[in-house]
Amino acid sequence: MRILFVCGRARARSPTAEQIFSRWPGVETASAGVSDDADEPIETDHLAWAEIVVVMERAHRRKLMRRFGPALRHVRIVCLDVRDDYAFMEPALVSLLEARAGRFLTIRKPD
């Protein structure tokens, strides 16, 4: 399963999710941001690669739909509703991402 995690600037939330879920069996991960100043700006290639796109906020989904609408036809988009209140790999963020993404992803957390 190929999962693309998307947030605004790709500095905290989506890179944290990428790192956490990359350890799960059968999962490949990447992260990108929808803002112009993102560390890893999202491109069409990201979307072509992904089976699931996990956005952190509804605004990210709207930006994706405006910019890449036709490229999203084959992709499942899930919103976790995680605000930009955390630092990279902050324990509270890790716990929140595991709890919220776990119910959407058909993968099992490693032991």
Side-chain angles (χ1 to χ4, degrees):
M1 177 181 297
R2 294 182 309 274
I3 305 169
L4 174 65
F5 294 97
V6 176
C7 65
R9 296 174 303 174
R11 293 186 183 140
R13 294 172 290 173
S14 61
T16 296
E18 177 183 12
Q19 187 166 333
I20 293 166
F21 294 105
S22 69
R23 300 181 210 140
W24 289 34
V27 176
E28 295 177 59
T29 60
S31 62
V34 294
S35 297
D36 293 335
D37 65 341
D39 286 359
E40 174 71 28
I42 192 160
E43 298 181 4
T44 307
D45 290 346
H46 289 106
L47 301 172
W49 171 85
E51 294 176 88
I52 298 175
V53 174
V54 177
V55 298
M56 298 297 156
E57 299 177 24
R58 291 181 189 132
H60 302 145
R61 182 192 318 234
R62 287 191 297 272
K63 285 182 181 181
L64 285 176
M65 295 305 289
R66 276 196 308 268
R67 288 176 54 194
F68 302 104
L72 296 170
R73 289 189 191 135
H74 72 286
V75 177
R76 177 180 177 202
I77 302 175
V78 172
C79 181
L80 298 184
D81 289 316
V82 176
R83 296 174 52 135
D84 193 12
D85 296 334
Y86 304 93
F88 176 70
M89 293 303 290
E90 183 176 327
L93 175 59
V94 171
S95 295
L96 184 60
L97 290 169
E98 287 180 337
R100 293 198 179 165
R103 66 179 192 221
F104 292 108
L105 307 177
T106 58
I107 52 180
R108 198 183 126 154
K109 183 178 178 178
D111 296 327

